[in-house]
Amino acid sequence: MEQKTASREEFEKRFCKEEYFSQLEELVNLDSGSTDREGVNRIASYFAPKFEALGFEVQRIRGEETGDCLVMNRGGREHYDVLFLGHMDTVFPRGTAEERPFRMDGEKAYGPGVADMKNGLLAIYHIVRALPREAADKLSLCVVMNPDEEISSSFSTPILIEQASKADHAFVMESALLTGEACMERKGMVQYTLEFQGIAAHAGYVYETRNASAILEMAHWIPALSALGDREKRTSANVGMVSGGTAVNVVPDRAVLEVEFRMWEESERRRIEAAVEEMLAHPFVEGVSVRIRAKHGKLPMSPSAGTLDFVEHWRGKAGKMGLFFDVKQRGGLSDANSIAAYVPVCLDGMGPRGGMDHGVDEHMLVSGARDCFVLLSAMLLEIARGKS
């Protein structure tokens, strides 16, 4: 027991709180909204030389419509003992950092992107830099920082999957919950943009002239899509946006609907997709056709046997070190949804504790930075020892 306590104290001595928060202030005060290519690339340019100085080979993959993606590895490119993953983009437009710059009130640190997820990006650097030499020499590490997570990672997902397929462990550095829990389960998602094409006509002659209302068809779809939700299985259905029509005296020949489903089970995703296909084949209103204009999705993040074993092991070990480690389900999406099926052990929410993402009250707990550093340092050291 004394040896484990001493190990924790040793890790804590390596963490420089003043340097971490000074650097975090720099990062938070750089706008990096998903559509701000220049801003995201400033974050990439901030980290690339720091990891190069640690002996990482840095590959910068150009994004044409987004910022660039960083793939940084040390100890080999064919296999990784550990993959760290985080995103450089935020949801905030340019100018937000100037309006609400980084600040600390003693217990909390505030600012746009501080918890989602510049605190986690910076934690990766500090953890890797502080690894004892004997552990660093044994481990093959990869760090991926992507530019487009907040807009579904369309550009970077193939890169993430390619790197995750080479790893034994993946730690996604989204913030832990404010109560401290990490995450090994997230809901999946399927999102449709549906377009309804009808037949326009003067509204005063609907009984004399051929017509077909796209909006009437869409109106039938709204309750039918909503009914695909399942409270018992916690599968949600949300028709979030609708539009259509040109004038009140014209039968509308076009309408558009956007709907999103979230589910814990992949079988639910397949059920919903089959139901939508059936509805597409059989419109409610004669003369109206319906097509899928866009479709996006993410698999549910489900724990593998290896992840379950890893979590159970560290629940006990962290407690003996005087640390907290546990997991909790999350309904939101992250890049962990994309990679969890490709890596034996995958955990999300491994960054410092944070919350209230995407809003003016977004913050991280100051104490969470040290806790994150100590816990992940201990995990890396154990993985390195396992290679002896």
Side-chain angles (χ1 to χ4, degrees):
M1 183 69 178
E2 292 179 0
Q3 183 178 0
K4 289 174 182 175
T5 303
S7 295
R8 176 185 172 177
E9 291 172 352
E10 182 182 347
F11 290 132
E12 288 178 335
K13 288 176 183 177
R14 296 195 191 104
F15 179 70
C16 182
K17 175 182 174 182
E18 292 74 17
E19 182 184 17
Y20 175 87
F21 282 100
S22 174
Q23 292 173 344
L24 186 61
E25 180 174 10
E26 292 181 65
L27 289 168
V28 171
N29 288 343
L30 293 174
D31 286 316
S32 60
S34 303
T35 58
D36 183 357
R37 189 175 188 280
E38 180 183 353
V40 173
N41 281 342
R42 282 199 296 266
I43 304 300
S45 296
Y46 181 92
F47 280 108
K50 289 184 179 298
F51 279 89
E52 283 180 335
L54 298 179
F56 280 73
E57 178 186 347
V58 175
Q59 181 183 9
R60 188 160 177 161
I61 304 171
R62 178 179 173 82
E64 296 300 329
E65 298 180 3
T66 70
D68 300 340
C69 185
L70 292 180
V71 178
M72 304 177 286
N73 55 75
R74 186 178 71 188
R77 299 179 64 176
E78 301 305 315
H79 167 263
Y80 310 128
D81 298 300
V82 176
L83 166 69
F84 284 105
L85 176 59
H87 63 86
M88 299 177 286
D89 62 323
T90 74
V91 299
F92 300 103
R94 184 175 290 191
T96 306
E98 184 177 0
E99 295 172 3
R100 296 191 289 108
F102 178 88
R103 66 182 176 88
M104 296 175 64
D105 68 2
E107 296 181 355
K108 299 175 182 177
Y110 296 85
V114 68
D116 189 19
M117 55 169 291
K118 292 178 178 179
N119 60 344
L121 292 179
L122 188 60
I124 300 170
Y125 169 69
H126 280 261
I127 291 162
V128 172
R129 187 185 67 170
L131 267 179
R133 182 62 180 270
E134 63 272 16
D137 289 346
K138 292 179 181 178
L139 291 174
S140 175
L141 302 175
C142 181
V143 178
V144 179
M145 296 185 179
N146 69 311
D148 58 342
E149 191 270 352
E150 297 291 0
I151 51 174
S152 300
S153 298
S154 298
F155 161 62
S156 59
T157 291
I159 301 169
L160 306 184
I161 291 174
E162 179 185 3
Q163 302 308 316
S165 299
K166 304 175 185 179
D168 293 334
H169 305 79
F171 299 130
V172 182
M173 297 297 285
E174 298 277 1
S175 287
L177 296 176
L178 289 169
T179 47
E181 291 88 355
C183 172
M184 65 178 183
E185 295 179 86
R186 284 185 180 269
K187 277 188 172 183
M189 176 270 285
V190 61
Q191 185 181 94
Y192 291 95
T193 300
L194 298 167
E195 185 171 9
F196 304 83
Q197 188 66 50
I199 301 169
H202 191 297
Y205 299 94
V206 294
Y207 299 117
E208 293 84 6
T209 307
R210 185 168 183 261
N211 65 87
S213 171
I215 286 181
L216 179 58
E217 176 70 20
M218 181 176 68
H220 283 288
W221 277 67
I222 291 172
L225 292 170
S226 299
L228 294 176
D230 188 318
R231 183 179 292 273
E232 289 187 4
K233 293 187 176 181
R234 293 187 294 162
T235 297
S236 60
N238 181 57
V239 177
M241 296 182 69
V242 297
S243 63
T246 57
V248 71
N249 61 342
V250 177
V251 175
D253 64 352
R254 184 177 175 277
V256 177
L257 175 155
E258 295 185 47
V259 61
E260 181 181 276
F261 301 92
R262 300 229 175 174
M263 68 291 296
W264 290 109
E265 302 171 19
E266 179 59 14
S267 60
E268 282 291 277
R269 175 188 169 100
R270 292 193 295 269
R271 175 182 67 83
I272 287 165
E273 289 178 335
V276 170
E277 289 297 326
E278 178 68 15
M279 290 169 65
L280 287 167
H282 300 94
F284 294 90
V285 177
E286 184 179 353
V288 177
S289 62
V290 189
R291 73 179 184 95
I292 298 173
R293 194 169 76 183
K295 179 182 177 184
H296 305 285
K298 291 274 189 182
L299 294 172
M301 178 194 182
S302 300
S304 65
T307 299
L308 292 169
D309 290 343
F310 189 89
V311 166
E312 190 60 30
H313 170 71
W314 275 97
R315 274 192 182 113
K317 182 158 187 173
K320 292 176 182 177
M321 292 179 66
L323 299 169
F324 174 81
F325 176 72
D326 208 343
V327 294
K328 193 171 184 178
Q329 292 179 327
R330 297 194 192 182
L333 301 170
S334 88
D335 286 322
N337 290 79
S338 299
I339 68 167
Y342 297 91
V343 59
V345 175
C346 185
L347 285 171
D348 194 359
M350 295 298 286
R353 300 183 186 197
M356 308 299 288
D357 300 356
H358 300 187
V360 296
D361 294 323
E362 179 177 348
H363 66 275
M364 65 168 287
L365 299 184
V366 171
S367 61
R370 183 184 298 273
D371 292 343
C372 168
F373 177 91
V374 173
L375 178 65
L376 276 164
S377 295
M379 288 178 173
L380 291 185
L381 190 60
E382 180 173 277
I383 293 169
R385 286 173 176 163
K387 300 191 68 176
S388 300

